[in-house]
Amino acid sequence: MTRIVALDPGARRIGVAVSDPLGITAQPYGTLDATAHDLDQQLGDLVREVAAELIIVGLPVGLKGTEGPAAREARAFAQRVGEATGLPVKLHDERLTTVTAERVLLEAGLRRERRRAARDRVAAAVLLQSYLDGTA
């Protein structure tokens, strides 16, 4: 039984999701401030708190499968996460996770402010569920 943490990095916020101990479902967990001076410490605290053994980082790939500057930034972020936590980090295609998250939140009837507050962590959960479904 192992928990997996997913990180959906953005310029201002990092969405966080965590799997159940069996690795079947993903739950939104929270967000981190991407510009925090103690981000490495927060990442280390997070993985210890949830007893994670693997981290998934969203890789923004274009609809045609091409990688641009955002993908290079995600790769650099993934390396930083691995160094900060000492855990293995895998990159996973995050195409359309934010769009899917927004659709889910709209269907739930959330107003704009509540959607904005939840979007990043729900996108991380969509990313993690995609990873979990692909490894089954």
Side-chain angles (χ1 to χ4, degrees):
M1 292 192 216
T2 180
R3 286 192 189 265
I4 301 171
V5 168
L7 302 174
D8 184 20
R12 294 190 326 222
R13 287 178 304 278
I14 300 165
V16 179
V18 178
S19 74
D20 68 292
L22 297 176
I24 298 171
T25 62
Q27 296 86 34
Y29 191 78
T31 58
L32 299 172
D33 180 351
T35 63
H37 70 282
D38 65 340
L39 181 59
D40 291 353
Q41 178 66 44
Q42 289 182 44
L43 291 166
D45 292 346
L46 168 69
V47 298
R48 281 187 294 282
E49 180 179 312
V50 300
E53 293 185 18
L54 174 66
I55 300 171
I56 304 300
V57 171
L59 180 65
V61 179
L63 293 177
K64 294 182 179 181
T66 58
E67 291 187 18
R72 284 190 293 279
E73 289 175 14
R75 289 182 183 283
F77 176 71
Q79 182 173 350
R80 176 182 177 183
V81 169
E83 291 169 359
T85 63
L87 292 178
V89 177
K90 292 185 180 181
L91 292 157
H92 188 72
D93 185 352
E94 70 168 22
R95 262 181 276 197
L96 304 177
T97 56
T98 303
V99 172
T100 302
E102 183 72 17
R103 187 174 304 131
V104 166
L105 295 168
L106 278 169
E107 289 174 5
L110 287 154
R111 293 182 185 261
R112 183 176 303 156
E113 283 300 313
R114 301 224 28 224
R115 284 196 318 267
R116 186 178 306 135
R119 184 181 305 122
D120 296 311
R121 64 180 177 262
V122 172
V126 171
L127 169 70
L128 181 53
Q129 193 63 56
S130 169
Y131 174 81
L132 295 172
D133 292 347
T135 61

